[in-house]
Amino acid sequence: MRIEELPVDERVKRVIIERGIEELYPPQGEALKSGVLDGKNLVLAIPTASGKTLVSEIVMANKLLREGGKAVYLVPLKALAEEKYREFKAWEVLGLRVAATTGDYDSTDEWLGRYDIIIATSEKFDSLLRHGSNWIRDVKLVVADEVHLIGSYDRGATLEMILSHMLDRAQILALSATVGNAEELAEWLNAELVVSDWRPVELKKGVFHLGELIWEDGKRERYPENWESLAIDAVKRGKQALVFVNTRRSAEKEAVSLSSKIARLLTKPETRQLKELADSLEENPTNEKLKKAIRGGVAFHHAGLSRTERTMIEDAFREGLIKVITATPTLSAGINLPAFRVIIRDTKRYAGFGWTDIPVLEIQQMMGRAGRPKYDRVGEAIVVARTEDPKKLMEKYIHGKPEKLFSMLANEQAFRSQVLALITNFGVSNFRELIGFLEKTFYFHQRKDTSSIEYKAKDIVYFLIENEFVDMDMNDRFIALPFGKRTSQLYIDPLTAKRFKDAFPKLERNPNPFGIFQLIASTPDMATLNARRREMEDYLDLAYEFEEKLYTNIPYYEDYRFQTFLGEIKTAKILLDWINEVPEARIYETYSIDPGDLYRILELADWLMYSLIELYKLFEPEKDVLNYLRDLHLRLRHGVREELLELVRLPNIGRKRARALYNAGFRTQEDIMRAKVRDLLEVEGIGMKVVEGLFRHFGVEMPKGAKKGSKKAERARKGTLDDFLK
């Protein structure tokens, strides 16, 4: 189908044609003929790079221009929200305003009412639904990208509940590359279904075993025995490769190993650019390995890297500067990063009690990254048979179908939180209404068993009543209590809220950072680190040392909670080090964690500390304790000792700048107000923009001529911070 033949607003056609697109791919044409342009729901299951996003853009833009209202585009990852935001900004030429929102789960974000296309993570949009944001009533279309994640244990229930809420309130467009039971999903959503295997770039799939590459059509090719030869061959052809492995350490090890071989294939300008890229990275143990790999044209990519590093790697790969990325499966979860050749080194991973096969759906998501539209006529996806039978791998992953999706409302933690939200935030007034709503879910659609869902819901309702989240009146109508309503708005598990509430009496008697951090780490909402076997004795000793400061009892060695508890102690100690200004590099080394792990722990701890304070405010708080908690929250947010609290309250003054100012003699806000501009500029990390921001904050005009000597002053900075952090 040609763009000019589309039955859509002429302005939409113009934007698409100006991108250089004059004709749609066959599955795109089929999707747009399905009735989706007339308001019908649609499940679109077509391969990666077959143009799902363009279909959603056309549907969104056409609907908004013709009917007004808003469109919400749901993504699973913050990085994807940023990517889609950059893509969709192109529609602003037609007056459609685009916004992205991913953080702060305790806000109505009414500012989003000024925008037409709103990109959000599922968790953020679920939070906005709970807060009853006024603009949501204007949402006419919900696009669920990567809808197969409805089967994801940790976030599937959230996406499912959003779609259950929006069914019959807005049009739904669900997108995925691989769905084993797309028909069942479409039936639940009362949607048309378009499924296709068509790809703009042909995909060749094969299995590599002991130097022999066996393609699915039976053809065979010989290579040196090591799978690395496949990546090296791709680079020799002027192409790029993605290598998927099952652990972070494998990704790092293989990247460093490959880099020494790929380095020989680089041009001199590439070698120079890669060195500059490597030198720009911050100093820490993980980045030392990354620098070594990048200098040879290779990078690793996993959740232990900070978002800055991950984005830098992705951009350098898109530009063709980095030739090979070795990655854990996180990279396959939707980020647009295709390569000519995808090599899947591992088809097993360790999961709790032993090694297990990686699902077909995940492997096929990885395979879908092979082949770059506009660059390659063919993409190659190769599964490596290391110890497995190559015939079995061919049958399972190359010819096999992805697994069926199953509702994750079976996950009790998710179910508990969603039932509370239905009662406290969505006006479900009695048990019958609660069951009525739950019968709209994919969970019920798959089981069609009212009695089992009633039994499950009753258990949760009893828990909520018993712990004073909700109550019931004489007519068996639910009463949303303040504790329950606030818990749901804060987007935390009711079990987390209960744990906080139970600890308040002890916390008031002995408020202390370590006890509070261990309490936070003990909640189901916190991603607690594991205590390794060789560390267990040390953390048990630490727990006994801090026993009087803890708000929970130390479990016996035989207790099933013992190992988890030691992980909580480890997490609490990391947070304690953080607020005592232990350098990040030392934290990584001491606790054997990566930067991404630390940032994730800090982000979760910040949110849970805020939630702890908000819930404490409901129970006649003692003013001194409340102020203590607020100061500790600020220390946690910035990673500072108590003496820097006054400084970090200033704009653009964080951990490093506050310590540098303090060590240079500027210890209070008054000291800074009295300071001369040139003296401030001599402090490490303090530039003219920071100084201007401080003057604005104090409502003081910059002295005349202050900017003139700024370059000279900046060159004369004192090195106080590095000395302090050594």
Side-chain angles (χ1 to χ4, degrees), residues 199-203 239 340 371-379:
R199 285 172 49 103
V201 176
E202 182 193 342
L203 180 61
K239 306 285 189 180
F340 162 70
R372 301 165 304 165
K374 299 178 186 173
Y375 296 99
D376 302 320
R377 286 185 299 105
V378 176

Side-chain angles (χ1 to χ4, degrees), residues 188-239:
W188 168 54
L189 292 171
N190 188 26
E192 300 297 309
L193 174 64
V194 173
V195 180
S196 173
D197 293 329
W198 188 93
R199 285 172 49 103
V201 176
E202 182 193 342
L203 180 61
K204 285 177 68 179
K205 293 179 279 189
V207 174
F208 181 78
H209 179 61
L210 298 176
E212 187 170 47
L213 177 51
I214 309 153
W215 296 109
E216 60 183 320
D217 62 5
K219 289 181 182 172
R220 295 168 184 252
E221 294 176 21
R222 293 297 305 178
Y223 286 86
E225 281 199 11
N226 195 314
W227 64 265
E228 285 186 338
S229 61
L230 298 171
I232 295 163
D233 174 68
V235 178
K236 281 180 178 174
R237 296 196 205 180
K239 306 285 189 180

Side-chain angles (χ1 to χ4, degrees), residues 481-551:
L481 299 177
F483 180 52
K485 193 170 179 68
R486 199 72 190 98
T487 296
S488 183
Q489 286 177 335
L490 288 165
Y491 210 71
I492 58 175
D493 187 328
L495 205 55
T496 293
K498 176 186 177 337
R499 204 157 284 173
F500 286 166
K501 183 184 170 190
D502 291 346
F504 287 154
K506 287 184 180 177
L507 189 153
E508 285 186 335
R509 287 195 298 273
N510 182 18
N512 70 89
F514 194 81
I516 290 165
F517 293 156
Q518 189 271 328
L519 173 65
I520 283 171
S522 74
T523 66
D525 284 307
M526 187 68 183
T528 304
L529 294 167
N530 291 323
R532 293 176 173 85
R533 195 165 292 280
R534 59 184 162 78
E535 301 172 325
M536 290 173 74
E537 194 173 328
D538 291 339
Y539 289 119
L540 184 58
D541 288 343
L542 191 65
Y544 283 126
E545 183 187 330
F546 282 99
E547 190 169 8
E548 290 184 6
K549 296 178 180 291
L550 299 177
Y551 309 135

Side-chain angles (χ1 to χ4, degrees), residues 5 14 43 145 230 238 244 293 356 367 405 411 476 523 526 539 560 600 613 627:
E5 296 167 359
R14 190 175 71 243
V43 172
D145 201 355
L230 298 171
F244 288 104
T356 181
M367 288 180 176
L405 298 178
N411 173 351
D476 291 336
T523 66
M526 187 68 183
Y539 289 119
Y560 75 97
R600 191 161 49 254
I613 293 166
N627 288 337

Side-chain angles (χ1 to χ4, degrees), residues 513 578-581 627-629 631-632 634-636 639-649 659 662 667:
W578 172 250
I579 65 166
N580 283 317
E581 298 181 53
N627 288 337
Y628 178 86
L629 291 173
D631 283 351
L632 183 60
L634 194 61
R635 290 181 65 193
L636 179 64
V640 294
R641 294 178 186 174
E642 213 164 350
E643 70 238 34
L644 299 187
L645 278 171
E646 190 175 347
L647 295 179
V648 293
R649 287 187 169 98
R659 178 51 65 189
Y662 190 91
R667 302 193 167 185

Side-chain angles (χ1 to χ4, degrees), residues 106-169:
D106 189 28
S107 168
T108 57
D109 280 359
E110 292 297 348
W111 62 273
L112 290 168
R114 302 193 298 272
Y115 293 84
D116 307 295
I117 297 173
I118 296 153
I119 304 145
T121 57
S122 297
E123 290 78 11
K124 177 61 179 179
F125 189 63
D126 189 26
S127 160
L128 291 168
L129 284 170
R130 293 183 187 198
H131 278 81
S133 304
N134 289 319
W135 56 267
I136 288 174
R137 67 170 70 99
D138 299 324
V139 173
K140 299 276 185 75
L141 171 67
V142 174
V143 181
D145 201 355
E146 308 290 337
V147 75
H148 61 272
L149 290 174
I150 210 166
S152 161
Y153 183 81
D154 54 347
R155 56 194 354 164
T158 302
L159 179 55
E160 178 179 342
M161 289 300 282
I162 289 171
L163 296 178
S164 301
H165 280 296
M166 299 308 290
L167 266 173
D168 306 323
R169 286 175 59 183

